[in-house]
């Protein structure tokens, strides 16, 4: 059971820290300069963790195995981080901005899961999406 729970706790904790940092990024810093420092830090941490806990210690061998998903994930992460910096600079509150974005994301991912990954999609989930959209409307008005 713990192997099922700890990754979610890690995601929640890291995501909370992420939003605190994104909201606290100084308005005077150019967003792309901030992201450059962020990704240099992430690259160094990833490299250190690769050698500390990775199974295969041959980095070049592993890099040859990557495909389009690694590059697309990199692009999507930059867009995500830049988007959140702009969300908070636009004046969204930390709880409200992330809540609206994540509810919207959950609805979009239900459809993507159904269309592209053949995951189940029930009437109950459709009602849940409707309630989520109603919830966004209620908390933003």
């Amino acid at each position: 059971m713990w192997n099922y729970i700890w990754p979610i706790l890690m995601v929640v904790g890291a995501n909370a820290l992420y939003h605190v940092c994104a909201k606290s990024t100084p308005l005077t810093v150019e967003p792309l300069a901030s992201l450059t420092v962020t990704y240099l830090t992430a690259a160094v941490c990833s490299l250190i963790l690769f050698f500390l806990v990775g199974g295969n210690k041959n980095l070049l061998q592993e890099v040859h195995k990557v495909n389009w998903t690694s590059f697309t994930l990199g692009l999507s992460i930059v867009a995500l981080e830049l988007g959140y910096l702009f969300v908070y600079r636009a004046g969204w509150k930390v709880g409200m901005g992330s809540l609206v974005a994540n509810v919207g994301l959950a609805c979009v991912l239900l459809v993507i899961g159904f269309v592209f990954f053949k995951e189940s999609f029930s009437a109950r989930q459709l009602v849940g999406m409707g309630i989520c959209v109603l919830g966004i409307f209620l908390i933003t008005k």
Side-chain angles (χ1 to χ4, degrees):
M1 182 71 161
W2 177 245
N3 287 336
Y4 193 71
I5 294 173
W6 79 260
I8 292 296
L9 295 175
M10 183 177 181
V11 168
V12 171
N15 215 333
L17 182 60
Y18 165 87
H19 284 283
V20 168
C21 291
K23 178 74 172 173
S24 301
T25 298
L27 295 176
T28 56
V29 69
E30 167 62 39
L32 293 172
S34 176
L35 287 183
T36 299
V37 172
T38 298
Y39 287 109
L40 286 172
T41 303
V44 169
C45 287
S46 294
L47 187 61
I48 291 169
L49 287 170
F50 174 81
F51 287 111
L52 287 178
V53 299
N56 183 352
K57 303 297 184 198
N58 188 332
L59 182 61
L60 290 178
Q61 186 179 53
E62 292 304 309
V63 167
H64 280 92
K65 296 177 186 177
V66 303
N67 65 3
W68 64 271
T69 59
S70 295
F71 300 101
T72 306
L73 182 60
L75 293 173
S76 69
I77 290 171
V78 170
L80 173 69
E81 307 247 357
L82 193 58
Y84 270 118
L85 287 175
F86 289 142
V87 161
Y88 294 130
R89 286 180 181 209
W92 282 84
K93 294 179 181 172
V94 71
M96 193 65 65
S98 65
L99 180 63
V100 170
N102 283 304
V103 167
L105 173 64
C107 293
V108 168
L109 287 177
L110 277 172
V111 174
I112 288 173
F114 176 74
V115 172
F116 294 105
F117 298 103
K118 309 299 183 231
E119 296 175 358
S120 65
F121 191 81
S122 66
R124 183 177 178 178
Q125 288 170 313
L126 186 60
V127 170
M129 286 175 63
I131 291 170
C132 287
V133 171
L134 176 63
I136 288 175
F137 175 76
L138 291 173
I139 65 172
T140 58
K141 294 296 172 185

